[in-house]
Amino acid sequence: MSRVWNFSAGPSVLPLPVLERAREELTDWKGIGASVMEISHRSAEFIDLADRIEADFRRLLGITDDYAVLFTAGGATTAQALIPLNFAAAGQTVDVVVTGHWSKTAIKQAAPYVRVHEAATSAPSEFTTVPPASEWVCSEDAAYLHYTANETIHGVAIRQVPQDLPANAAPLVVDFSSSIASEPIDVSRYGILYAGAQKNLGPVGISVVVVRRDLLERAGQVRADIFDYRSHVARDSMLNTPPTFNWYLLGLTVEWMIAQGGTPVFRERNEMKARMLYDVIDGSGGFFRNPVEPAARSIMNVPFFLPSEDLDARFVALSRENQMLGLKGHKAIGGVRASIYNAMPVEGVETLASFMREFRRTHG
Ligand SMILES: *Cc1c(COP(=O)(O)O)cnc(C)c1O
């Protein structure tokens, strides 16, 4: 049984050495005689593991002690609801920049708790652009300004904090679910960054929330203790039983990324991988089409369309026969989508690029 090239958008491919190590350690972790998922999260061994994972994660992203790092059960969508509860007063305004599907889910999850103001939207371009930051309309009293670093479905990215943010912009809260650790970022520019793990960090079922500590002083809104990020910080992400196995797998993935050379290496590799696909698309005489403005294109998710829906389906079916998995586009926009996260090797993308050229030759 061999492994295919897995282009799934999330849950998605994990590094093979991570899976092999997990398999090796599955029945007997560290000579304990039990797996990591069978022991207490309060055991000295697990607490030591959790400490080490936090230290590695901070090192990978360059996170200083001015920020708290939380590992929480639940997904990015959970964070999209908890962030307004924790960091905005009831009915307070939050500014949101809308660049695609996940910006809209952030609005939907926040709407019961706050007044959402759309600071900018690229809906008129059908989410193929990023509205220039100089034109974002920020509210005077906003609790924070939310945007999505990488729109996983539309393939649109705001890779770095825009230089020309409005002077009155509130602290940035950024959804990094599908691009965290894909390249270096300056964490000090953000108030909060959060990510579900299942795109670039590990398995589904755990998320990371990185919060500038001064924001934790905010009163927020009435909420149960279990929804209170301050409580989670005070208890080192062990307020209740954490998803220990997911946490462990996330740790192995982070360790692998550091061993690979960290985010500078991934930036170079990811840009190269993305360029290979965009080059085939742009050089195909319109056979493959990616509608995103080049400056806004994602280096993690590359959506594209063939001349007809029939050809999209044929392409996906034939790719599966050629040992490539997960290329069907999201149902919201259709077409084809190649997700090429950190764990996707260059060789996998080369295989897809050759397959695309061959498909065009035989079907164009
Ligand atoms: C996948 C994804 C989400 C949703 O994550 P869940 O873990 O399913 O809640 C949110 N934002 C972005 C950018 C995503 O890629």
Side-chain angles (χ1 to χ4, degrees):
M1 178 67 210
S2 66
R3 298 217 354 127
V4 297
W5 298 119
N6 182 357
F7 295 94
S8 299
S12 45
V13 62
L14 290 167
L16 187 57
V18 166
L19 295 174
E20 286 172 340
R21 169 116 173 250
R23 179 175 59 191
E24 253 167 54
E25 297 179 342
L26 188 63
T27 54
D28 179 12
W29 182 59
K30 293 176 71 161
I32 288 176
S35 76
V36 66
M37 71 181 124
E38 297 171 294
I39 62 166
S40 172
H41 56 294
R42 315 257 181 232
S43 63
E45 290 88 353
F46 192 82
I47 289 174
D48 177 61
L49 174 71
D51 287 348
R52 205 148 33 81
I53 294 171
E54 180 177 334
D56 283 350
F57 184 70
R58 283 179 181 276
R59 182 168 151 218
L60 180 68
L61 291 192
I63 302 171
T64 63
D65 199 46
D66 302 336
Y67 289 77
V69 175
L70 287 170
F71 298 90
T72 67
T77 314
T78 316
Q80 290 180 334
L82 293 183
I83 286 170
L85 270 179
N86 278 266
F87 302 104
Q92 190 179 0
T93 301
V94 306
D95 289 335
V96 178
V97 176
V98 183
T99 52
H101 177 87
W102 296 111
S103 307
K104 290 193 278 184
T105 68
I107 290 178
K108 186 175 169 196
Q109 296 304 323
Y113 308 121
V114 290
R115 192 179 83 81
V116 175
H117 169 248
E118 274 189 20
T121 176
S122 56
S125 77
E126 294 180 11
F127 304 121
T128 59
T129 55
V130 170
S134 58
E135 293 168 18
W136 296 359
V137 179
C138 293
S139 312
E140 283 312 320
D141 56 347
Y144 55 81
L145 168 59
H146 182 284
Y147 71 78
T148 309
N150 186 73
E151 282 285 358
T152 318
I153 295 173
H154 292 88
V156 170
I158 305 175
R159 289 170 52 187
Q160 299 292 330
V161 173
Q163 293 302 323
D164 47 354
L165 283 179
N168 66 336
L172 294 177
V173 173
V174 180
D175 181 352
F176 262 99
S177 293
S178 50
S179 58
I180 192 155
S182 64
E183 61 183 329
I185 53 169
D186 178 359
V187 172
S188 72
R189 303 287 312 278
Y190 303 88
I192 298 169
L193 44 97
Y194 67 94
Q198 72 269 28
K199 281 53 180 260
N200 226 6
L201 279 185
V204 68
I206 190 163
S207 297
V208 294
V209 184
V210 180
V211 187
R212 212 175 63 210
R213 289 189 197 275
D214 63 293
L215 297 174
L216 290 165
E217 308 294 320
R218 290 190 179 180
Q221 304 181 31
V222 175
R223 57 202 184 271
D225 195 34
I226 195 69
F227 297 151
D228 192 325
Y229 282 136
R230 277 181 308 206
S231 305
H232 287 279
V233 169
R235 300 288 294 277
D236 297 323
S237 302
M238 295 194 197
L239 185 58
N240 65 327
T241 318
T244 49
F245 192 62
N246 312 54
W247 203 346
Y248 156 82
L249 288 170
L250 182 152
L252 292 185
T253 308
V254 168
E255 204 179 306
W256 174 81
M257 289 182 193
I258 292 172
Q260 291 286 304
T263 55
V265 165
F266 283 108
R267 171 164 55 198
E268 197 179 320
R269 204 183 286 173
N270 291 328
E271 284 180 343
M272 192 227 297
K273 281 154 42 183
R275 201 176 321 114
M276 276 186 222
L277 298 184
Y278 290 121
D279 280 353
V280 175
I281 292 166
D282 295 341
S284 71
F287 183 76
F288 297 111
R289 192 171 49 81
N290 170 289
V292 179
E293 183 183 69
R297 281 174 167 177
S298 168
I299 58 169
M300 294 275 95
N301 309 96
V302 180
F304 57 91
F305 300 87
L306 283 78
S308 70
E309 283 179 26
D310 278 353
L311 279 170
D312 288 341
R314 180 87 194 109
F315 181 92
V316 172
L318 204 58
S319 70
R320 190 69 190 89
E321 286 171 25
N322 284 270
Q323 312 307 313
M324 282 170 274
L325 183 66
L327 282 164
K328 192 174 192 303
H330 190 277
K331 63 183 183 327
I333 63 169
V336 180
R337 171 175 50 167
S339 297
I340 49 174
Y341 301 120
N342 285 5
M344 168 57 68
V346 173
E347 195 191 343
V349 179
E350 280 167 353
T351 305
L352 174 58
S354 309
F355 176 75
M356 289 170 73
R357 280 189 291 265
E358 180 62 14
F359 191 90
R360 181 188 161 211
R361 199 181 63 72
T362 50
H363 294 76

